[in-house]
């Protein structure tokens, strides 16, 4: 089974519009000959449209970093899936651990956001991952199982097939600590096993599962070469093309 690799840059709450445009221009220039892997950038909401205007004619796709589940109305501060689509997004990150940790995101809200995004024609990148305390307590796999069950409750197979999952152990995000390739692969295999129980063996084999957590140029190729890892969701290292481009190239090499 060959799954197409994806490298997605989560710019988090960084960069003005001007800085985002410059970064998008640089990523576009440096990756113009790369067609073997999917490249995604997720700017802050204010920079989505300006970034789309730069990369819209290339193969780089734009993602939102979050979304609200209602279409419109009295929800001050929120942005709907239709609005993200209108601004140029093809994908949206949902359930990032920073949203779970700081903004009260739960399995139930993740589920509503996935449903709303699919309805609007956006492809969700759904983040799951255990904390250090949960890993140390031997609960990593049960946490992943639960997060997958909650995220995809009531979602039919034909919709699930549009989803991308990102395994992001919370203890590895922005900490410089990366899961070892075998630790990450084991977690991805667990996620695939859970998908198999929910959606069957074919869905488990075709699902794309990205790894996220302190991915760098120096560890990307080994991670992406693991059997169950289909690319990466990249935070800090996506903010500099000198770091992001080699990670994309590592994905190209891993898919060779
Ligand atoms: C992330 O925020 O999704 C992430 C993986 O961050 P970092 O690469 O900085 O650990």
């Amino acid at each position: 089974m060959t799954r197409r690799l994806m490298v997605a840059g989560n710019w988090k709450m960084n960069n003005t519009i001007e800085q985002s445009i410059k970064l998008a221009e640089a990523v576009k220039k440096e990756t113009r000959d790369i067609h073997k892997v999917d490249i995604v950038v997720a700017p802050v909401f204010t920079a989505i449209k300006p970034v789309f205007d730069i990369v819209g004619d290339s193969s780089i796709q734009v993602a939102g970093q979050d979304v609200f589940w209602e279409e419109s109305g009295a929800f001050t501060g929120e942005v709907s899936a239709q609005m993200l689509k209108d601004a140029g997004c093809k994908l949206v990150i949902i359930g990032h651990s920073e949203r779970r940790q700081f903004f009260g995101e739960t399995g139930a809200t993740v589920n509503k956001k996935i449903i709303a995004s699919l309805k609007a024609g956006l492809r969700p990148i759904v983040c799951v991952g255990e904390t250090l305390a949960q890993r140390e307590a031997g609960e990593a796999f049960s946490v992943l199982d639960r997060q997958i069950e909650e995220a995809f409750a009531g979602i039919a197979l034909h919709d699930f097939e549009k989803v991308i999952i990102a395994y992001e152990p919370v203890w590895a995000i922005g900490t410089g600590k990366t899961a070892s390739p075998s630790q990450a692969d084991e977690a991805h295999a667990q996620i695939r096993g859970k998908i198999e129980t929910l959606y069957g063996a074919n869905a488990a084999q075709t699902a794309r599962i990205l790894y996220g957590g302190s991915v760098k140029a120096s560890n990307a190729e080994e991670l992406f070469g693991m059997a169950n890892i289909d690319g990466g969701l990249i935070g800090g290292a996506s903010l500099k093309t000198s770091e992001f481009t080699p990670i994309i190239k590592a994905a190209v090499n891993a898919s060779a």
Side-chain angles (χ1 to χ4, degrees), residues 67-70 81 94 105-119 150-153 155:
V67 64
F68 190 58
W69 55 82
E70 295 289 348
I94 296 177
E105 190 86 273
T106 65
T109 59
V110 166
N111 178 251
K112 286 188 192 187
K113 290 178 178 187
I114 295 171
I115 293 169
S117 299
L118 288 165
K119 189 173 167 212
E150 290 170 348
F152 300 114
I155 292 175

Side-chain angles (χ1 to χ4, degrees), residues 10 12 96 98 127 168 172-176 211-215 233-237:
N10 173 13
K12 309 197 185 190
H96 191 281
E98 287 154 13
C127 302
E168 298 210 310
I173 295 179
T175 58
Y211 168 76
S214 300
V215 176
L233 179 54
I234 320 297

Side-chain angles (χ1 to χ4, degrees), residues 1 9 62 76-77 82 96 108 114 119 123 127 132 136 139 152 168 197 203:
M1 165 60 55
V62 182
T76 303
Q82 289 77 3
H96 191 281
I114 295 171
K119 189 173 167 212
R123 207 174 251 266
C127 302
L132 184 59
E136 286 176 348
E139 293 166 1
F152 300 114
E168 298 210 310
T197 62

Side-chain angles (χ1 to χ4, degrees), residues 1-4 192 201-207 227 230:
M1 165 60 55
T2 49
R3 295 176 294 265
R4 190 173 162 85
R192 251 181 239 295
N202 188 52
Q205 276 316 302
T206 50
D230 307 315

Side-chain angles (χ1 to χ4, degrees), residues 229-249:
I229 300 182
D230 307 315
L233 179 54
I234 320 297
S238 69
L239 293 169
K240 285 193 183 141
T241 32
S242 58
E243 293 181 40
F244 194 48
T245 308
I247 294 173
I248 296 167
K249 290 189 175 156

